[in-house]
Amino acid sequence: VLTAAGKGPAPAASGPAPVPTRDIPELPDGPVALSGMQVAVANNMDATVSVPVFRTARKIRTDKFDELYAKLKPKGVTVSALLSKAVALALEQHPIINAHYDSASRSIVYHKDINVANAVALDGGLITPTLKNANMMDILTLSAEWKSLVGKAKAGALRPDEFQSGTFTVSNLGMFGVSQFGAILPPGTGAILAIGGANPTVKMVNGVPTEVKEMEVTLTADHRHIYGADSAMFLKTLAEILEENTLDL
């Protein structure tokens, strides 16, 4: 009140800028227009705001998966291809997870094709190269296709059908040391799987404390047509493939 009446103390004058005690990097300041790719990502995120989603998480042991990858890596097989194949085989058994909800017709749209999109970070954006019919390809062919798609993505040479045809999406941040996260559902799909990094932990195995490796996966799903039991059963199947049936890959 005193200040408003002109009787209070005057605001302190701003002093000189502080003198840095170390080299300070040049930091961005002020608005920067989005690139075309960033605009597309932002629009997609806006489109998902009205979708009622829920998340289901499960820890999966990766010991056998890691052994398989170590054997196949010299042949050019990638982790992304192995995970995509495992997801595709699980989707075969749970087609509701590979479906999406159509609000215009109030119907569930199923997809006989299992097209697994994988989120890839690029300078100034994000894109989702898609492994079409991932359940049908052998792992060597799938890995070669993935490497080709990533190369095209980095060169900005992907065709629209190579990044807009996903029926299910995988987002893997495990290589960045992230242990768990929840992904945002892309428009036009029913679910997305977020994969964290594998870390050692101690479990009781046959009554004996044993060190094993586990990763946590989190499924974000559209609750209009996918229910909790659907998500739980899908994650159970995925865990069985990665923990016990890795030879199916």
Side-chain angles (χ1 to χ4, degrees):
V1 174
L2 291 176
T3 301
K7 298 180 180 179
S14 59
V19 178
T21 58
R22 61 181 179 84
D23 291 337
I24 304 298
E26 190 70 28
L27 299 175
D29 187 33
V32 176
L34 295 179
S35 66
M37 182 182 297
Q38 289 172 321
V39 169
V41 172
N43 289 340
N44 282 341
M45 296 303 99
D46 286 340
T48 67
V49 172
S50 62
V51 177
V53 299
F54 70 102
R55 293 181 171 88
T56 311
R58 181 180 178 124
K59 292 182 179 179
I60 298 177
R61 286 181 56 176
T62 64
D63 303 85
K64 289 188 177 181
F65 178 84
D66 292 340
E67 291 175 6
L68 178 65
Y69 174 59
K71 292 178 182 178
L72 294 179
K73 184 179 180 181
K75 298 181 180 180
V77 173
T78 66
V79 169
S80 294
L82 279 171
L83 289 173
S84 295
K85 182 64 178 292
V87 164
L89 294 178
L91 289 171
E92 278 186 341
Q93 300 184 46
H94 304 277
I96 190 68
I97 307 296
N98 196 49
H100 75 271
Y101 177 80
D102 180 64
S103 57
S105 62
R106 300 189 69 81
S107 62
I108 301 171
V109 181
Y110 288 90
H111 306 283
K112 67 177 182 178
D113 294 334
I114 297 178
N115 299 336
V116 180
N118 282 263
V120 172
L122 300 175
D123 288 341
L126 177 74
I127 202 164
T128 51
T130 302
L131 290 165
K132 299 178 183 178
N133 299 304
N135 58 317
M136 297 183 181
M137 286 189 275
D138 65 82
I139 194 59
L140 295 180
T141 303
L142 199 65
S143 287
E145 176 66 12
W146 176 244
K147 290 179 179 178
S148 173
L149 288 170
V150 171
K152 289 182 181 180
K154 291 180 178 179
L158 284 175
R159 301 188 309 271
D161 68 291
E162 291 177 319
F163 66 91
Q164 295 179 350
S165 57
T167 58
F168 183 91
T169 305
V170 173
S171 181
N172 183 4
L173 293 180
M175 71 286 289
F176 298 111
V178 174
S179 57
Q180 189 275 336
F181 70 105
I184 296 177
L185 182 68
T189 62
I192 179 172
L193 187 71
I195 300 178
N199 295 299
T201 186
V202 176
K203 294 284 187 179
M204 296 298 292
V205 179
N206 298 323
V208 179
T210 305
E211 183 179 285
V212 300
K213 289 185 70 176
E214 286 184 337
M215 67 179 181
E216 186 163 351
V217 299
T218 304
L219 186 73
T220 300
D222 186 339
H223 213 336
R224 292 175 296 184
H225 71 290
I226 298 173
Y227 307 140
D230 298 319
S231 291
M233 293 302 294
F234 168 77
L235 292 180
K236 180 176 182 292
T237 298
L238 180 63
E240 290 171 349
I241 293 171
L242 293 173
E243 293 179 348
E244 304 296 339
N245 303 319
T246 52
L247 292 181
D248 292 344
L249 302 177

